[in-house]
């Protein structure tokens, strides 16, 4: 068995809320999305832990109804990727990606506009 890599939904919720507060997107109305994201991340971590515990096999043998053996993508890896995609969409909805933050709060990620040389010189005179 591999090293434990999993966090609980409660732990994830704390991380998510902290991140949202840091970027200024946390509002109580986001709690349902936060809970869904935390649950998704807990499930993703559990699937990944099972994948690690089972030896990190990217492909596995699958026997068809007729008895033929075929190599297929490990269902655990496929599920992990699906949960990761779902989580990314929720991260975005919470403003925890650059594009998600931009949609929620355009001002939060705008860089300070550069001052022209003339403007800088005039400001020094003031």
């Amino acid at each position: 068995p591999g090293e434990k890599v999993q966090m609980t939904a409660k732990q994830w919720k704390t991380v998510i809320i902290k991140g949202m507060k840091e970027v200024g997107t946390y509002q109580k109305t986001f709690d349902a999305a936060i809970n869904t994201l935390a649950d998704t991340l807990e499930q993703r971590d559990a699937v990944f832990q099972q994948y690690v515990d089972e030896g990190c096999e990217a492909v596995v043998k699958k026997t068809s109804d007729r008895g033929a053996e075929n190599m297929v993508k490990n269902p655990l890896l496929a599920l992990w990727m699906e949960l990761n995609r779902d989580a990314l969409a929720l991260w975005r909805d919470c403003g925890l990606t650059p594009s998600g933050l931009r949609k929620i709060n355009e001002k939060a990620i705008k860089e300070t506009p550069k001052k022209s040389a003339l403007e800088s010189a005039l400001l020094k005179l003031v």
Side-chain angles (χ1 to χ4, degrees), residues 3-52:
E3 183 180 321
K4 297 292 179 200
V5 293
Q6 159 173 18
M7 286 177 33
T8 65
K10 184 178 179 180
Q11 290 169 318
W12 273 117
K13 186 175 178 178
T14 300
V15 168
I16 296 161
I17 290 173
K18 180 180 179 208
M20 290 179 75
K21 286 180 177 178
E22 286 175 5
V23 298
T25 59
Y26 178 74
Q27 295 177 21
K28 191 86 172 131
T29 56
F30 282 116
D31 282 352
I34 292 167
N35 289 334
T36 301
L37 175 56
D39 290 342
T40 300
L41 291 168
E42 179 182 46
Q43 290 172 3
R44 182 201 67 175
D45 287 351
V47 167
F48 188 73
Q49 186 63 55
Q50 186 177 351
Y51 173 74
V52 168

Side-chain angles (χ1 to χ4, degrees), residues 16-109:
I16 296 161
I17 290 173
K18 180 180 179 208
M20 290 179 75
K21 286 180 177 178
E22 286 175 5
V23 298
T25 59
Y26 178 74
Q27 295 177 21
K28 191 86 172 131
T29 56
F30 282 116
D31 282 352
I34 292 167
N35 289 334
T36 301
L37 175 56
D39 290 342
T40 300
L41 291 168
E42 179 182 46
Q43 290 172 3
R44 182 201 67 175
D45 287 351
V47 167
F48 188 73
Q49 186 63 55
Q50 186 177 351
Y51 173 74
V52 168
D53 289 347
E54 292 181 9
C56 297
E57 299 286 331
V59 292
V60 294
K61 283 184 187 177
K62 181 179 179 185
T63 305
S64 71
D65 295 341
R66 297 182 179 160
E69 286 186 354
N70 299 304
M71 297 302 284
V72 297
K73 180 189 269 186
N74 187 327
L76 291 171
L77 188 56
L79 178 56
W80 178 82
M81 291 172 69
E82 184 179 323
L83 289 166
N84 216 31
R85 246 187 327 270
D86 293 348
L88 179 59
L90 290 162
W91 280 113
R92 200 175 299 121
D93 289 346
C94 292
L96 294 171
T97 66
S99 66
L101 181 58
R102 189 176 307 114
K103 287 178 184 174
I104 292 173
N105 184 359
E106 185 73 32
K107 292 181 210 169
I109 62 167

